[in-house]
Amino acid sequence: MKIAIYAITLNGAKQAKRLASTLPFADVFVAPIGQEAYEEAQTLTLPLSSFLAPKFNQYDHHICFFAAGIVSRMIAPLLQDKRTDPGVLCIDDHGHFVIPMLSGHRGGANSLACQVAKTLAATPVVTTASDVAGTLSVDMLGASFGWKLDPRCESAITSVSAAVVNEQNVLVVQQAGEQTWWPHKRSMASNVQCHPDLSSNHLPEHRSQLESLEPNKWDGLVLISDQLEPKGAQQWEDKTVLWRPKSLVLGIGCDRNTPAHVIETGIRLFLNEHNLAHQSLSALASIALKADEVGILEYSQASQIPFVTYPAQELADIEGIENPSEYVKKVTGVASVAEAASLKRSSTNKLVVGKWKYKQDGFNITLACTRIQYDEPLARKKWKNWLDEVVKINAHGNEVVEGFECKPKHVDLNRPMLYHRHHLLVCEGGRCAKQGSRNLAHDLRQILKTMGLDKGDKRIKISRTHCAGACRNRAAMVVYERLTQHETPINNGVWLKAIDEFTLEQWQALFDALHTRTPLQNILSEQFFAPIEGAKECLEELKD
């Protein structure tokens, strides 16, 4: 990262010197009046606009120790595109405030401003809404992994970003790539819902989860996909931010001296035919015999896709090869090149596309593709606390008390409760616990999770209580509903007993009944309802 620092006053030069000590590769330019304070600096000549203009696009960031008005007038004629303009910071010459003036978000100036502020003991003045709120940055989400934004989604970035900060409903669907893109240990804002699409083959008719969702219920979509045309995305097109993760590995074999243009054509046709995005290619892989193949090297250089090779012995016993060839083995010493190299590079045993052949101008190319698998689930990977100890994190990003599955160790008193449609209080008082309800709450939460009733507007909350004063009905549980003004209670205040006798099927039926607002009397035997004195008429009404 190339950085230039400018100062036009004596105090500014002193601050520039302090800052430059932590940015050893920065170029520092100081006006003559400040050079006595920083003799090593290069000379800055006036007028500023003429001095900065030829340097503007030569650096990634410009740090200016002078007034914001001067900076704004100086850079105005130089601005081109927020995707390519360098970052510009403005700092007062006493080092009190650091203001990102340009490319704060996508250009990284906000992040640099925070870094500079720490060095100078200053206050960073960041105004980008998503950065200030610490919420999802839809246009920076995958940048640290080298992911690329699909150019077609540029027009949607502003509207989807606005939806996030305005607390409108935004959906994140991930079909490939690293799952650890949320950098914080806290959960995301409640209006942003993550909907992993990595298990789409389990859906009916192999439909992706994206196809099964209704776009009109959402104000924006962040889609992480290596498919050229993600299935179901067409109906979301005007409100989709599409990220291309570096998730694909392309195995390649070819005749000696195959030209780069033939390789380029073959790869393009291969990707188009199999609906794969070129931007998601993370590497080309082959056997060591091809390490000096000029055509592949030229294509790798032109497309900026790394080319890696492996010795034959490392490809000999690779699992997952679908199309071994005796001829290839005779020539190279291994039964597969493209498939084996791709599998090796991606550390998987499953091909996305098996051996595919292409011939042009008498030259033969063989391609195969794999997808890199990442097994770290979002917000559930193990973190280290400030003592450098490995700790367990629950689904909401909170450190868990040792011996518990989800109980948070530290409580944020300002954080609101998550919404729930139903609240089930499970008694774990002494007598009920002996009866069998102890630790039942954890098992019930797992059932709710598998049924998709553990979050969102369908959420059923499970809480454990001490003695509920219903010992004769051990083991006991009470159900409460969250009702709107015009809704009629269906299962509100229903007490159940002997819940330790419920089978898995009965619990699933009970949760489904709550979700569909079906009276529990319709699905449970009368023996499981705890009688309430003086409420016989009410219970009869519920049955009717």
Side-chain angles (χ1 to χ4, degrees):
M1 182 167 62
K2 295 186 64 177
I3 297 175
I5 302 174
Y6 309 89
I8 57 174
T9 65
L10 180 60
N11 279 330
K14 293 177 181 178
Q15 299 298 334
K17 186 174 183 178
R18 285 179 59 198
L19 180 59
S21 66
T22 64
L23 300 171
F25 298 106
D27 293 331
V28 183
F29 304 93
V30 174
I33 194 171
Q35 288 196 314
E36 64 179 83
Y38 194 0
E39 296 178 355
E40 298 85 356
Q42 301 178 58
T43 302
L44 183 155
T45 58
L46 301 177
L48 282 173
S49 56
S50 300
F51 185 81
L52 179 66
K55 296 178 173 59
F56 189 67
N57 291 313
Q58 295 177 9
Y59 292 90
D60 299 304
H61 292 281
H62 299 271
I63 301 176
C64 306
F65 282 93
F66 32 88
I70 297 175
V71 175
S72 59
R73 285 191 294 271
M74 186 173 62
I75 66 175
L78 307 175
L79 305 185
Q80 298 292 328
D81 191 314
K82 68 178 183 179
R83 293 169 294 182
T84 57
D85 286 336
V88 176
L89 305 186
C90 174
I91 309 174
D92 64 282
D93 71 355
H94 280 69
H96 293 318
F97 301 99
V98 183
I99 308 171
M101 298 284 290
L102 181 66
S103 296
H105 192 53
R106 294 178 70 173
N110 288 351
S111 176
L112 181 61
C114 294
Q115 177 186 338
V116 169
K118 285 184 179 180
T119 300
L120 301 178
T123 301
V125 184
V126 177
T127 57
T128 304
S130 59
D131 287 353
V132 173
T135 189
L136 180 69
S137 298
V138 300
D139 55 346
M140 293 296 291
L141 180 149
S144 62
F145 297 110
W147 299 0
K148 299 296 182 183
L149 281 166
D150 192 295
R152 295 174 295 178
C153 74
E154 281 293 335
S155 60
I157 289 176
T158 300
S159 61
V160 178
S161 297
V164 171
V165 299
N166 289 323
E167 300 183 1
Q168 295 175 293
N169 293 326
V170 174
L171 180 67
V172 181
V173 174
Q174 181 167 12
Q175 298 176 338
E178 296 90 338
Q179 299 178 62
T180 53
W181 42 263
W182 178 245
H184 308 293
K185 293 185 180 181
R186 63 178 183 275
S187 59
M188 279 180 283
S190 59
N191 64 303
V192 180
Q193 297 291 322
C194 291
H195 201 303
D197 200 21
L198 302 176
S199 57
S200 58
N201 288 338
H202 297 297
L203 293 173
E205 301 175 0
H206 300 286
R207 294 169 59 205
S208 76
Q209 293 182 0
L210 186 59
E211 291 179 284
S212 66
L213 300 173
E214 299 180 34
N216 58 1
K217 293 184 177 181
W218 303 90
D219 299 291
L221 169 69
V222 179
L223 177 59
I224 306 165
S225 177
D226 56 19
Q227 296 178 17
L228 181 61
E229 298 293 342
K231 296 178 181 178
Q234 293 75 16
Q235 53 189 338
W236 298 73
E237 197 165 294
D238 60 338
K239 53 182 177 182
T240 301
V241 174
L242 177 56
W243 277 99
R244 298 300 194 183
K246 295 294 185 179
S247 54
L248 301 177
V249 176
L250 199 62
I252 182 170
C254 65
D255 291 339
R256 178 59 72 180
N257 298 321
T258 300
H261 75 272
V262 174
I263 292 172
E264 187 277 330
T265 301
I267 290 177
R268 175 168 47 81
L269 293 174
F270 173 84
L271 295 174
N272 289 341
E273 181 177 323
H274 297 98
N275 195 33
L276 299 172
H278 186 273
Q279 286 181 302
S280 288
L281 291 181
S282 64
L284 305 173
S286 191
I287 193 168
L289 291 172
K290 291 295 177 183
D292 60 349
E293 188 65 55
V294 175
I296 300 179
L297 292 172
E298 289 181 356
Y299 176 79
S300 170
Q301 178 67 29
S303 60
Q304 294 295 292
I305 300 173
F307 176 45
V308 296
T309 60
Y310 299 97
Q313 58 268 29
E314 292 187 23
L315 302 180
D317 299 318
I318 295 293
E319 293 184 12
I321 295 172
E322 297 178 357
N323 300 282
S325 168
E326 287 300 321
Y327 175 76
V328 172
K329 186 173 184 179
K330 181 179 178 180
V331 174
T332 65
V334 292
S336 171
V337 171
E339 290 185 351
S342 182
L343 291 164
K344 172 71 174 177
R345 175 66 177 182
S346 58
S347 300
T348 184
N349 59 5
K350 183 179 180 181
L351 292 164
V352 174
V353 181
K355 184 164 67 175
W356 181 89
K357 298 179 180 179
Y358 175 72
K359 186 173 183 178
Q360 179 182 333
D361 301 334
F363 294 99
N364 294 287
I365 300 175
T366 302
L367 300 172
C369 184
T370 53
R371 179 176 288 115
I372 302 172
Q373 300 295 327
Y374 299 92
D375 58 1
E376 292 181 290
L378 182 64
R380 282 185 176 272
K381 70 174 185 177
K382 288 188 175 180
W383 298 84
K384 287 191 175 182
N385 62 13
W386 64 281
L387 294 174
D388 203 36
E389 299 169 334
V390 174
V391 296
K392 185 173 183 178
I393 302 297
N394 65 18
H396 306 299
N398 298 314
E399 184 177 343
V400 174
V401 176
E402 185 175 354
F404 288 81
E405 290 294 323
C406 64
K407 184 177 182 180
K409 191 171 184 179
H410 305 288
V411 179
D412 181 357
L413 299 179
N414 296 316
R415 178 179 174 179
M417 290 178 61
L418 291 176
Y419 175 86
H420 54 272
R421 177 64 163 161
H422 293 85
H423 194 179
L424 278 55
L425 303 181
V426 179
C427 181
E428 287 195 0
R431 290 174 176 169
C432 284
K434 289 180 181 178
Q435 193 74 9
S437 68
R438 183 175 294 278
N439 297 324
L440 178 61
H442 170 65
D443 296 329
L444 298 183
R445 293 188 186 106
Q446 297 304 309
I447 297 172
L448 289 170
K449 183 177 179 180
T450 61
M451 296 179 68
L453 299 176
D454 62 325
K455 55 187 176 182
D457 58 3
K458 305 174 185 177
R459 182 175 179 237
I460 298 176
K461 177 179 173 63
I462 304 287
S463 293
R464 300 172 298 172
T465 73
H466 290 292
C467 182
C471 298
R472 72 187 67 181
N473 296 311
R474 67 190 85 158
M477 180 180 78
V478 61
V479 178
Y480 290 110
E481 298 176 305
R482 184 187 295 274
L483 301 170
T484 63
Q485 182 178 356
H486 303 292
E487 284 184 318
T488 302
I490 301 295
N491 294 304
N492 195 42
V494 173
W495 282 81
L496 301 175
K497 64 179 181 178
I499 61 173
D500 57 305
E501 298 179 13
F502 285 9
T503 65
L504 172 62
E505 290 74 19
Q506 285 176 309
W507 280 115
Q508 290 172 332
L510 183 150
F511 293 146
D512 186 63
L514 294 179
H515 170 53
T516 58
R517 305 203 72 221
T518 300
L520 294 180
Q521 285 80 0
N522 293 359
I523 59 116
L524 290 177
S525 170
E526 188 174 348
Q527 71 186 68
F528 293 116
F529 290 89
I532 301 176
E533 186 176 358
K536 184 176 181 181
E537 293 180 1
C538 295
L539 291 174
E540 290 298 327
E541 288 181 9
L542 285 175
K543 290 182 181 179
D544 296 338

